[in-house]
Amino acid sequence: MFIRRKKTWNIPEREAVPEEVYLGRRRFLSNTGYLSLGALMLSGAGAGIFGLFEGEKKEDIIKLARTTTSGLYPAKRNLIYSLDRPLTDELTAASYNNFYEFTTGKDVWKHVKAFKARPWTIEITGLVEKPKTYDIDELIRKVALEERLYRHRCVEAWAMAVPWTGFPMRELLKISRPLSSAKFVRMSAFMNPEWASGQSQRLWQPWPYEEGLTMEEAASELTFLATGIYGHELPAQHGAPMRLVVPWKYGFKSIKSIMRIEFTDSRPKTFWNTLNPEEYGFTSNIDPDDKRQRWPQKTEKMIGTGELRQTVLYNGYGEHVAAIYK
Ligand SMILES: Nc1nc2c(c(=O)[nH]1)N[C@H]1C(S)=C(S)[C@@H](COP(=O)(O)O)O[C@H]1N2
Ligand SMILES: [Mo]
């Protein structure tokens, strides 16, 4: 058991940093006009997987399905949520992702060709007054989409700042009416080895990817279900057609491509917590003084620019969420 756990654990460690360091370097080179294959080899030495190559077109990296709700984007921006840093470049965010169903590398966009975001259903189940399976576009039409600028902080110490489009999870609670006996919400991503080779090749990992929140966390105004990014629908690599965004928690809590939402009275098992409970807690609020992880958490590096920033408790969202943990 211990050996098995240790093995899976080593995968992100090896792959977390070089591409990101590389991506910032490559953009610098490309700006100065000296980008060459030699420069690529030098600056990316050993990384193997590069986020983005010179000459790749935006349409190749960001592929959007046309759907019956495409016309709802871009949605009006909610100005309550403002940033302390520039937005991350759209192509950088779309070519540097974590999505273990598809690959343990960051070039997820190259591995999503078989994935289909439509048709798609979201099952609402468990301790809830109105259990129902919604067609994704039916659910989107029931809520009001808005845009929010949020910071995102991965436990691997990289960060980004992006405009999400979606709706607060609170709205889903209003529609579904969880019972007072519900204490947690469990979210499950898709399970389809024909789309995602990780689900057939890494059988020791607990598929489908699952995450969970307490009911109080789920009801926070900050807890967001995103269906879009940068003013359009989510491309597959960001978690189409709907993913969670909880910006005061490490990125792995923000589960992508959700198919099932269950209200329950017991704490759900979650993907990374099952693989390594010592390092990936259930709560996993962003904390610069956290010493349990292999990555020092004091600072974070913005993808694309490589800018280093101090990491802040709750990722700077304490005024919205600190009361939950008193
Ligand atoms: N289903 C699923 N959701 C997931 C992951 C995953 O591997 N599978 N990775 C998580 C991690 S570790 C991070 S940092 C974010 C990354 O989101 P982004 O790729 O849209 O930036 O997604 C999270 N959601
Ligand atoms: Mo992450």
Side-chain angles (χ1 to χ4, degrees):
M1 188 58 203
F2 176 72
I3 290 166
R4 217 174 75 158
R5 195 186 281 165
K6 190 152 189 190
K7 212 170 169 184
T8 63
W9 180 229
N10 284 333
I11 294 167
E13 184 170 44
R14 281 203 315 269
E15 298 185 334
V17 182
E19 295 92 341
E20 194 247 313
V21 171
Y22 171 71
L23 201 67
R25 170 83 174 144
R26 192 196 62 80
R27 284 187 179 253
F28 170 74
L29 289 168
S30 138
N31 288 343
T32 55
Y34 288 109
L35 187 72
S36 66
L37 193 60
L40 273 170
M41 303 301 284
L42 265 176
S43 59
I49 308 153
F50 306 128
L52 194 56
F53 283 101
E54 196 76 344
E56 254 150 11
K57 294 195 272 339
K58 185 174 175 179
E59 316 83 82
D60 295 335
I61 295 165
I62 302 174
K63 287 213 183 327
L64 302 174
R66 185 163 302 152
T67 73
T68 59
T69 50
S70 299
L72 300 176
Y73 305 84
K76 192 166 188 278
R77 186 172 291 178
N78 180 340
L79 295 170
I80 291 173
Y81 306 98
S82 57
L83 295 175
D84 59 349
R85 60 194 74 182
L87 274 183
T88 298
D89 164 67
E90 180 177 6
L91 270 186
T92 300
S95 55
Y96 190 86
N97 301 94
N98 273 335
F99 209 157
Y100 268 59
E101 284 87 335
F102 296 102
T103 173
T104 57
K106 302 298 187 216
D107 59 345
V108 177
W109 66 273
K110 292 179 184 166
H111 300 265
V112 295
K113 290 190 179 72
F115 174 87
K116 285 201 170 48
R118 296 294 190 288
W120 192 280
T121 54
I122 311 273
E123 183 190 2
I124 309 291
T125 185
L127 301 172
V128 65
E129 261 181 46
K130 298 203 175 335
K132 187 177 155 108
T133 298
Y134 294 92
D135 172 75
I136 181 67
D137 295 303
E138 177 194 4
L139 180 62
I140 289 171
R141 286 190 185 286
K142 274 179 128 26
V143 295
L145 294 184
E146 61 180 67
E147 183 175 75
R148 294 185 180 188
L149 310 183
Y150 275 174
R151 296 179 290 273
H152 174 101
R153 169 65 158 75
C154 175
V155 72
E156 297 162 344
W158 58 267
M160 62 180 187
V162 299
W164 299 108
T165 305
F167 57 98
M169 186 172 232
R170 259 189 191 182
E171 295 304 310
L172 188 68
L173 302 184
K174 279 191 207 154
I175 295 170
S176 311
R177 301 167 154 275
L179 306 176
S180 58
S181 52
K183 302 288 178 253
F184 296 91
V185 52
R186 177 212 309 275
M187 286 153 279
S188 314
F190 70 85
M191 179 70 203
N192 188 339
E194 285 175 19
W195 287 349
S197 63
Q199 294 185 327
S200 56
Q201 287 170 7
R202 276 174 271 115
L203 291 173
W204 64 88
Q205 294 183 336
W207 308 112
Y209 194 102
E210 291 193 308
E211 258 305 336
L213 298 171
T214 65
M215 284 305 296
E216 206 180 343
E217 290 171 336
S220 163
E221 60 181 75
L222 212 55
T223 304
F224 204 56
L225 287 165
T227 58
I229 189 168
Y230 292 99
H232 51 65
E233 289 166 296
L234 292 174
Q237 62 266 39
H238 279 303
M242 187 176 89
R243 57 94 56 86
L244 181 70
V245 183
V246 277
W248 75 98
K249 293 176 177 289
Y250 290 114
F252 64 85
K253 296 290 297 181
S254 290
I255 179 175
K256 298 174 171 182
S257 302
I258 299 170
M259 286 205 84
R260 189 168 182 275
I261 299 180
E262 179 189 352
F263 297 94
T264 153
D265 56 6
S266 58
R267 201 180 85 175
K269 286 203 160 143
T270 59
F271 186 84
W272 286 109
N273 182 249
T274 301
L275 284 170
N276 188 313
E278 291 79 15
E279 211 160 351
Y280 298 135
F282 176 81
T283 304
S284 284
N285 293 329
I286 293 164
D287 180 355
D289 296 320
D290 210 329
K291 300 274 187 300
R292 285 174 299 176
Q293 297 92 355
R294 287 161 303 160
W295 299 274
Q297 297 297 331
K298 281 258 175 259
T299 57
E300 62 205 46
K301 197 175 232 181
M302 299 302 294
I303 56 170
T305 63
E307 183 198 359
L308 273 181
R309 301 191 66 109
Q310 296 297 310
T311 292
V312 178
L313 185 64
Y314 302 122
N315 205 17
Y317 292 105
E319 62 169 307
H320 300 286
V321 296
I324 300 175
Y325 307 101
K326 285 287 172 297

